Structures are given as structure tokens and as C-alpha cells.
């Protein structure tokens, strides 16, 4: 997150200043009793110490309460880059506004007085060092109880420009498995085996019914599958998706295929995925198991 913020303008005081000033004016105008934010470092900075601040987010956007989030890849150069990016963001914040000196560490920008990490432990990139309870993601419906025998077909969910999209679509059209698919584009290879949707798919309705899901490694898609014990075949194409795919594979929730390995035996990969026995996620880490319960947990009691 430090590198992302630095590269998107938070390391430049002249770009941060209007954000801080805008939030400051909004708080002065509306005078809220409490603020709830989701990945809003400039808002968090202005709110801190003025009114109670609750931050919600997933494992990526809500790192543990440490001086600096640990690197997600094992490299000293990576850690140095994260440290330098975090320092650049804080320096820009300090230069932009007199409000900011209340912020002492980079992670203060991403955390509040109370923090709700809404994800599953197995997909949390900081799971090895996090000691907080986890809450059910607001956008994910409660798991649906379905037996493997009651499921059929598969779902393909890939961006239209994904490097594996054309290969996956073509290979899927040759299988006996019936697929639904969404690429945010018309099909390249029209086939009776692949029903391509031109509008987004309702994951809550579709995923629990499927024998497998083929996707690009998006966090929400991975959690929908894990929660409903639907095996996944992931073709990641950037660092975040690669780390999500790695967690899915390590937990035996599915398989990950490097994008450059598109000459794999696609039929065998699909069959292996369908036959995978998916474990239950770690319910013991969860403070809530319903999106409604997570909403109720946001403000369980007045914050001083």
C-alpha cells in the first residue's frame, strides 16, 4: 500500500493538500459523531483525534498495527522500497497540512480507533503476523450449503484483455463441461458449451451452483469460491493476483497457473480442479459469519 499510495500522488504535498483541506471542510460543515471509512488515508488523517474513527477493509487495505507493513515478497530491496515509499508519503502529508503531525507511522494512515478486517484468514496476506479477529466481508453473501452432487458446470470470469482469456475461452469451448462466462466483451469463439454473459454475473446466485470457477485471481471472486467450497482454477496476471492465487493453492482451495504457462493440458487442469476436495475455511478466526452481522458490528457500542 505504501508503494501504491506513493505512485498515485500521495508522495506529493501539492496533490495531498486539497484532499486534506476538502475533508477538513466537510467535517467542519457536517460535524459527524463518528466516521466509518474504507481505504481512505486522507480522510483518516483529518479525522484522527477529532471524532471516533472506524476503519473497515480487507487484508490488503488494513495492514496490522506495525511501524511499516512487511513486504509481501521476500526481498531486501522490496522492503527498502516500501520503507522509502512510506517515508515519502508521510513527508508529503506533513508538508501539506498542520493537521498531519498527529500521524506518527505510515500504518496510521490506514487504521482507525477501531478496525474491522473483513476477509478470510487463508487469503489475508498478513495472516502470519495478524492477531486481530476477522469479520465477514460485507459484499459476500453467507455460504450456501450445497453438496458436490448438486452442482453442475463451471464459471469463467476473466477481464477481456487478460492474456489467458482467448486460450481459456477456446479450450473451454472444446470440453463437455457447460460454462457460463463473463469477459465484459462478446465471445471470441461462440460455442454452445460457453454461454457468455454481456452483463456482470451475480456471484451469489451462480458460484454456489458450479463445480469450478476459472478466474484471474480477484480477491472477491476467490472468497466467494472459498466460502462456498467451490474449487478454483486461477490465471493471475499481476503481483496482487499472484499472491492471492498462491494463498488459494497453498490452502488447497484450487490451483494457480502462471500466465506464461498457457500451453498446459487445459482439460486435465479442469478435471483436476473439479475433483479437488475443498476444505472449510478457518471459522475460528471469524467474529462474524454474515454480512448483516458485520454491519451490526461496525458500531456495537458508543466509542469514546
Amino acid at each position: 500500500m505504501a508503494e501504491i499510495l506513493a505512485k498515485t500522488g500521495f508522495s506529493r504535498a501539492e496533490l495531498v493538500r486539497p484532499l486534506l483541506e476538502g475533508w477538513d471542510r466537510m467535517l467542519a460543515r457536517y460535524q459527524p459523531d463518528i466516521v466509518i471509512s474504507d481505504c481512505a488515508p486522507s480522510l483518516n488523517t483529518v479525522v484522527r483525534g477529532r471524532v471516533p474513527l472506524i476503519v473497515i477493509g480487507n487484508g490488503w487495505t488494513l495492514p496490522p498495527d506495525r511501524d511499516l507493513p512487511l513486504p509481501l515478497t521476500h526481498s531486501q530491496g522490496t522492503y527498502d522500497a516500501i520503507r522509502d515509499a512510506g517515508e515519502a508519503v508521510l513527508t508529503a502529508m506533513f508538508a501539506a497540512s498542520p493537521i498531519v503531525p498527529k500521524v506518527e507511522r505510515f500504518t496510521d494512515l490506514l487504521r482507525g480507533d477501531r478496525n474491522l478486517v473483513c476477509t478470510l484468514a487463508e487469503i489475508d496476506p498478513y495472516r502470519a503476523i495478524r492477531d486481530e479477529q476477522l469479520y465477514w466481508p460485507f459484499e459476500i453473501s453467507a455460504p450456501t450449503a450445497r453438496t458436490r452432487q448438486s452442482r453442475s458446470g463451471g464459471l469463467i470470469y476473466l477481464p477481456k484483455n487478460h492474456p489467458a482469456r482467448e486460450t481459456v475461452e477456446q479450450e473451454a469451448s472444446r470440453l463437455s463441461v457447460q460454462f457460463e462466462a463473463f469477459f465484459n466483451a462478446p465471445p471470441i469463439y461462440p460455442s454452445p458449451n460457453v454461454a457468455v454473459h454481456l452483463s456482470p454475473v451475480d456471484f451469489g446466485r451462480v458460484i454456489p451452483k458450479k463445480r469450478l470457477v476459472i478466474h484471474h485471481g480477484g480477491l472477491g471472486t476467490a472468497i466467494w469460491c472459498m466460502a462456498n467450497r467451490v474449487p478454483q482454477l486461477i490465471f493471475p496476471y499481476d503481483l496482487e493476483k499472484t499472491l492471492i492465487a498462491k494463498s488459494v493453492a497453498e490452502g488447497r482451495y484450487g490451483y494457480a497457473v502462471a500466465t506464461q504457462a498457457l500451453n498446459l493440458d487445459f482439460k486435465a487442469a479442469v478435471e483436476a480442479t473439479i475433483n479437488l476436495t475443498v476444505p472449510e475455511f478457518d471459522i475460528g478466526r471469524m467474529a462474524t459469519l454474515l454480512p448483516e452481522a458485520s454491519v451490526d458490528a461496525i458500531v456495537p457500542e458508543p466509542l469514546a
Side-chain angles (χ1 to χ4, degrees):
M1 285 300 298
E3 291 179 296
I4 290 171
L5 292 179
K7 290 178 180 179
T8 53
F10 279 84
S11 59
R12 296 174 59 185
E14 69 273 19
L15 297 181
V16 174
R17 186 174 296 109
L19 292 176
L20 299 175
E21 291 174 347
W23 283 122
D24 187 45
R25 287 193 299 270
M26 187 171 290
L27 261 68
R29 178 178 179 182
Y30 293 104
Q31 298 185 9
D33 297 312
I34 192 169
V35 170
I36 301 170
S37 76
D38 180 356
C39 196
S42 53
L43 171 60
N44 296 347
T45 300
V46 173
V47 171
R48 184 173 301 279
R50 293 170 68 171
V51 296
L53 171 63
I54 295 178
V55 176
I56 63 175
N58 59 52
W60 302 91
T61 63
L62 247 175
D65 188 15
R66 293 190 171 220
D67 288 343
L68 189 69
L70 295 177
L72 301 178
T73 56
H74 301 292
S75 158
Q76 180 59 40
T78 300
Y79 182 80
D80 291 343
I82 292 173
R83 181 200 60 211
D84 293 345
E87 290 179 355
V89 170
L90 286 177
T91 298
M93 287 282 194
F94 293 149
S97 172
I99 299 172
V100 179
K102 288 177 290 187
V103 174
E104 297 179 356
R105 306 174 302 171
F106 174 80
T107 49
D108 291 340
L109 302 175
L110 301 170
R111 296 179 61 87
D113 302 308
R114 188 161 183 267
N115 302 278
L116 275 69
V117 184
C118 302
T119 192
L120 306 184
E122 293 85 347
I123 210 77
D124 179 6
Y126 298 108
R127 59 189 174 275
I129 59 172
R130 192 188 297 280
D131 56 8
E132 298 166 284
Q133 280 193 306
L134 303 177
Y135 293 80
W136 193 257
F138 299 102
E139 72 276 17
I140 309 293
S141 300
T144 300
R146 275 185 173 268
T147 63
R148 179 179 292 192
Q149 292 72 24
S150 69
R151 295 172 173 164
S152 63
L155 171 67
I156 303 172
Y157 188 78
L158 294 172
K160 61 183 177 182
N161 296 323
H162 190 290
R165 179 261 171 109
E166 185 172 350
T167 298
V168 168
E169 184 181 349
Q170 184 178 33
E171 292 297 322
S173 70
R174 297 170 177 166
L175 301 181
S176 58
V177 178
Q178 294 290 318
F179 286 96
E180 294 183 64
F182 178 71
F183 307 113
N184 199 24
I188 299 175
Y189 301 99
S191 166
N193 287 353
V194 183
V196 177
H197 295 263
L198 297 181
S199 56
V201 174
D202 180 352
F203 281 177
R205 178 184 63 83
V206 173
I207 286 181
K209 300 177 182 179
K210 297 304 181 185
R211 298 174 69 192
L212 83 157
V213 174
I214 299 172
H215 66 100
H216 63 302
L219 182 62
T221 316
I223 294 177
W224 273 103
C225 293
M226 291 167 61
N228 289 282
R229 302 185 71 182
V230 176
Q232 313 170 51
L233 182 59
I234 301 179
F235 292 83
Y237 70 104
D238 61 30
L239 177 59
E240 178 194 5
K241 308 298 188 299
T242 298
L243 292 168
I244 291 170
K246 183 173 182 287
S247 295
V248 166
E250 287 177 347
R252 299 289 293 170
Y253 295 95
Y255 296 107
V257 179
T259 301
Q260 59 268 29
L262 295 181
N263 59 343
L264 83 164
D265 186 333
F266 187 79
K267 181 179 180 181
V270 167
E271 289 177 351
T273 305
I274 288 176
N275 292 322
L276 183 66
T277 299
V278 177
E280 288 189 5
F281 61 91
D282 185 1
I283 296 177
R285 287 293 304 274
M286 307 301 295
T288 57
L289 291 170
L290 295 169
E292 296 82 2
S294 293
V295 171
D296 290 340
I298 291 177
V299 192
E301 57 188 25
L303 290 178

